[in-house]
Amino acid sequence: MNRPYQRNHDQRNTRSYRTQAALLVVLIALLLSACGNGGNGGNSESSGNGNAAGSASSAAGGASATKPAKDVKLVFWHHYSAASPEEKTLTETLIPKFEQDNPGIKVEAVAFTWEDLHKKLQVAGSTNDLPDVARLDIIWVPELQRSNWLVPLDETFADFGNTTSGLLEGPVSTAKVGEHYYGLPLNTNTKVLFWNEDMLKQAGLSQPPTTTDEFFSALEAVKTANPNAWGYGEPGLYGWNVLPWIWSNGGDVLSPDMSTADGYLNSADSIAIVARLQQAYQGNKLAGFKPGDVPVTEGHAKGSYALIAEGPWAVAQFQGQFTDYKARMVSFPAGKAGSVQVLGGEDIGITNTRHQEESWKFLQFMTSEYAQVEMGKVGQIPVNLAAMDNAEIKAIDYFAPFLEQLKTAKARPPVPAWPQIDEIINTTMSKIFLKNSDVKTELDDAVKQIDALLHA
Amino acid sequence: MRRRTFNLEAYLFVAPPFAFFVLFIVYPLVRNALYSFTDFRLTNLHAAPFVGLDNYVRVLEDPVFWISIRNVLIYGAISVPGQIAIGFAIAFVLDRRIAGVRLFRTLYFIPVITSWVVASLIFKFIFTDRGLLNYVLSDVLHLTGEPISWLSTPLYAMIVLSLLGIWKGTGWVMVMYLAALQNVPKDLYEAAAMDGATVPQSVRYITLPAVREMTGFVQIMLIIGAFNVFTSVYLVTDGGPLNQTEVMLTWMYRQAFGHYDLGYASALSFLFAIPIGLLTWVRFRLTERSGT
């Protein structure tokens, strides 16, 4: 009599235990996003707290900002690469020098990846946890300015004009939104065509392609000579990757007044060049952007991609990791509109911090000849005129092709919605290449989406 | 008959875990539910206007949502039976006193304690276009000329991810079955053998019915696990190309922390909970009805 009851009882226990266990698993699944959110919040809070504590103590301790009783601590967020000597130069050479020249000011540098820094700034901005100073990709400035997170430098600091007069005009303009300037340029860059001499020789070519037509026939020749290789490697399908092709062929992404993409991204010139690239992709002559592809820079040095378009940092990577490979560079293949590459680079901006004067000093230091030369030595093309004339910078021979390419380089449209537009370009191009969709249909569709964003 | 009495000590004992449960599970769940009815974005934490069922409508109209459901079903359809079949087979073989049995049990369990991150990166290395598998297939065995794009062909990629799931989870299934097999009376096998039953017959009529309860448990845990697949997808394909290998959690993560669309991600999480809840309920109803 006892046993059946017990069995039943045990079973019920097991069952309810299992129900609970299963329920718990479901709940944990649901909570995944909430937990992640909490983690992020905690992170930004900790740096924000430090910031707030620092400013509170300086406000309490000193009567004015000119003579703080305690050190002012500036928090500087950046995405200098930790894999290359950039971050080391920043933390071991530049910041110690700045702190030595400016007693009473300490700089805490916090490194992020490019992608994380963009996210982190947006989240920190909405929770008032921004750092004092941040390094900004030039394409983020309009977006961050629209949120009112950046200080207009020309309005705030009397010696703004004096400072910028020593800097290259083009890069200075990258921080201009509307009538005002929201940053100083830190470095500039663009991409050039890298060519693997051995691979081209094997394909019977002694010279790299200089025009779009030569480029496409080179792809053909490389494929014939080496079916396992690709003529061209492209790591992504964003504006950074595809716009040089479109621009060089006479197309564009937006109208000059940046009010519409209609007639530009879907113009005959844009369609023609994208269709040509699509054809090359279908012929397995270009690769690099889909999951599972050989990484582009590495593949270029190791004989998978004969041609790639990359920035000056690739040279540092070749020198560091592929010592047998000698990088060769030439201007990007010219289409009917010339050889037009994309302008890249970074600005440095000040947020609505209490330490504006100290931050401004740091900005001036980072754009000074000394700092620009040091960063130039690790591959960051300077924007300081005196640094450009500096003997140490002139001795860096691989800057020459980039400086030549910069003369015709074009900036991506400085509209606040650019990050979203860039996503649309990526998705559209992915459909065109990976799904072999009709180029015109896809570009027309992209234009509709972009125009909706522009008029939102 | 038991009388209900107020037992202070019992409540005090229950209170700490219950408080923990409320704070870390109930509260976030409720907040998450509220977020799903608002346009709440990571880029603007101060404003979360109420939008009613808008987020749910957006999710249901989103083609990637359906792709992610499809992919989870493919993943589950391959990895769940795969883990159960292989895990059971290994357990069956290792459920006897033979030399080296402990060593083999340990070896088969190692993938379970291996980090998902490490396992995913190794699988990625094997299956990239110029990876180990393509090298073996084309350069060693000369079976294919062109390398096969395992990771950028959606169906292949889902198969690769399922294989990773099988590799990673089989050891756990084995341990579960080993435990269940301990309770199968050995004399049943002896009796069957005397009646002339073959090994497959013994498995079919003795072992499988005896471990049915465990099979049910393993099944439900693996199905829930399949719905929760994240790390491997995130690291091996990252949902690409073109969101074609997105699964429920990677899509939810991308919405929340890629697009900062927390309201949408919250709605997603509740819609994703429906199939998991349903499956759990169906499974327990089946267990109850079978009366085992």
Side-chain angles (χ1 to χ4, degrees), chain A residues 140-199:
Chain A
W140 303 342
V141 177
E143 188 196 19
L144 298 179
Q145 189 277 329
R146 189 171 61 169
S147 303
N148 286 322
W149 294 337
L150 298 174
V151 171
L153 302 181
D154 52 335
E155 278 194 320
T156 316
F157 305 106
D159 53 348
F160 175 82
N162 270 342
T163 308
T164 50
S165 64
L167 306 176
L168 281 169
E169 206 181 310
V172 168
S173 71
T174 61
K176 188 176 181 189
V177 183
E179 293 303 305
H180 297 289
Y181 292 83
Y182 294 86
L184 289 181
L186 265 186
N187 52 270
T188 183
N189 61 52
T190 186
K191 296 181 291 177
V192 298
L193 193 72
F194 285 72
W195 55 289
N196 184 313
E197 192 177 24
D198 291 344
M199 290 179 78

Side-chain angles (χ1 to χ4, degrees), chain A residues 292-308:
Chain A
D293 277 347
V294 179
V296 167
T297 324
E298 182 191 325
H300 176 64
K302 290 169 92 175
S304 288
Y305 304 108
L307 305 165
I308 62 167

Side-chain angles (χ1 to χ4, degrees), chain A residues 11 18 22 25-27 29-31 33 37 119 122-123 126-127 228 230 284 290-294 430-431 434, chain B residues 24-25 28-29 32 42-43 45-46 128-130 146 149 152 213 224 228 241-242 257 260 269 273 276 280 287:
Chain A
Q11 250 173 32
R18 278 173 11 204
V25 175
V26 175
L27 291 172
L30 291 173
L31 288 172
S33 64
N37 184 16
K119 286 185 187 178
Q122 291 182 309
V123 176
S126 74
T127 54
N228 276 329
W230 294 275
N284 208 8
K290 64 179 169 49
D293 277 347
V294 179
S430 298
K431 284 183 189 161
L434 300 173
Chain B
F24 292 106
I25 295 185
L29 200 59
N32 202 27
L42 213 49
T43 43
L45 296 172
H46 301 298
T128 53
D129 282 15
R130 289 289 147 89
E146 288 280 308
S149 296
S152 50
E213 180 99 340
I224 293 172
N228 285 336
L242 269 177
F257 303 110
Y260 317 123
S269 72
I276 302 180
T280 314
T287 321

